[in-house]
Amino acid sequence: MSALTENAAPAPFTDEEFRDTLRELPPSAKLVAKVLEDDAPLSQGDLAESSLLPDRTVRYALNRLEESGLVDSRYSFTDARKQVYFLTV
């Protein structure tokens, strides 16, 4: 049986693990991660505006980053209809 329980959060990435995981992702995911590194949490629309990428490309990048465990999301405190994204590091 695993030492982690269902509610336990996974251990955060080290900087080296973060970079190694990010290295395998497409350029759009790298750009979105860089924008989040500088100014998080941001909504998908804010990320599209800051990165100059189309909304669809940002959504794809966020999906790839979330699948890799590098990005997480929560509902915005200022507008509960929106989700905001942030790095897990």
Side-chain angles (χ1 to χ4, degrees):
M1 182 174 269
S2 173
L4 289 177
T5 63
E6 220 174 280
N7 295 331
F13 286 93
T14 64
D15 283 343
E16 185 176 334
E17 291 170 333
F18 179 84
R19 289 184 180 278
D20 288 344
T21 303
L22 190 60
R23 190 172 284 120
E24 303 300 319
L25 296 176
S28 60
K30 293 172 185 168
L31 178 57
V32 168
K34 183 62 178 169
V35 171
L36 286 173
E37 183 179 66
D38 293 339
D39 191 24
L42 292 172
S43 69
Q44 181 180 340
D46 293 337
L47 282 165
E49 187 176 314
S50 294
S51 66
L52 303 178
L53 293 171
D55 287 336
R56 186 173 179 175
T57 304
V58 170
R59 179 79 247 150
Y60 173 76
L62 286 170
N63 284 336
R64 295 294 306 270
L65 289 163
E66 285 180 314
E67 289 169 1
S68 299
L70 300 178
V71 167
D72 204 357
S73 64
R74 64 169 166 77
Y75 287 101
S76 171
F77 294 133
T78 58
D79 186 350
R81 297 171 296 174
K82 293 183 180 181
Q83 285 193 326
V84 291
Y85 299 87
F86 54 92
L87 296 176
T88 58
V89 179

